[in-house]
Amino acid sequence: MLQRIQTIYLLLALLITGILPFVFPLWTLSDSKLFYFMLDMKYVTLFGLSTTLSLLSIISYKKRQNQFVMGRLNIILNLILLGLFVYRSLNLSGEAVKVSEKGIGMFLPIVAIVLLVLANKAIKKDEDLVKSVDRLR
């Protein structure tokens, strides 16, 4: 259901993890080459899993509990991705010859996590509303 706010949040998270990594580089290497996520298989896998979880969460709008669990898994997945980026950026800052520049692509998991947390709050709110209506019957 597209009229629910969590669907909008999940669509934005899908856009951030599925499309924007192709546009924004993660960092610039010391030889002035841009490093995109497609150059490393672990980043491809993690971004792909995050995109897939967002899409599955949008499709399963009738099962709010499953949607909530997939949102939590997606948050954990993006935290792992963010941890890999932080580890890589700490290694980048210790280069001897030239210091590589961090790209805006490294901040995409942070925005995705915020959107997924907002989506989970909205899903929880819907679930509480349905439970309160069931109590009245």
Side-chain angles (χ1 to χ4, degrees), residues 31-72:
D31 56 351
S32 299
K33 290 184 181 178
L34 298 176
F35 185 88
Y36 287 92
F37 82 104
M38 298 149 311
L39 299 175
D40 196 348
M41 195 61 188
K42 63 183 169 234
Y43 299 135
V44 171
T45 305
L46 290 173
F47 271 119
L49 284 174
S50 179
T51 304
T52 304
L53 276 175
S54 294
L55 184 63
L56 286 174
S57 187
I58 291 170
I59 291 171
S60 67
Y61 63 90
K62 289 185 180 180
K63 301 173 185 165
R64 285 177 298 278
Q65 280 299 97
N66 290 345
Q67 199 176 24
F68 189 77
V69 169
M70 281 188 270
R72 288 263 173 111

Side-chain angles (χ1 to χ4, degrees), residues 86-137:
V86 167
Y87 176 74
R88 174 73 177 160
S89 71
L90 291 175
N91 284 344
L92 284 178
S93 64
E95 293 180 13
V97 181
K98 289 185 182 176
V99 175
S100 298
E101 296 178 15
K102 285 77 173 168
I104 195 168
M106 291 183 72
F107 298 106
L108 292 178
I110 296 171
V111 178
I113 289 169
V114 168
L115 289 170
L116 290 167
V117 166
L118 289 172
N120 271 359
K121 282 179 102 174
I123 292 167
K124 180 79 169 128
K125 187 177 175 184
D126 276 358
E127 187 66 26
D128 291 343
L129 180 67
V130 169
K131 284 182 182 178
S132 72
V133 169
D134 284 343
R135 272 185 264 150
L136 293 175
R137 286 189 214 177

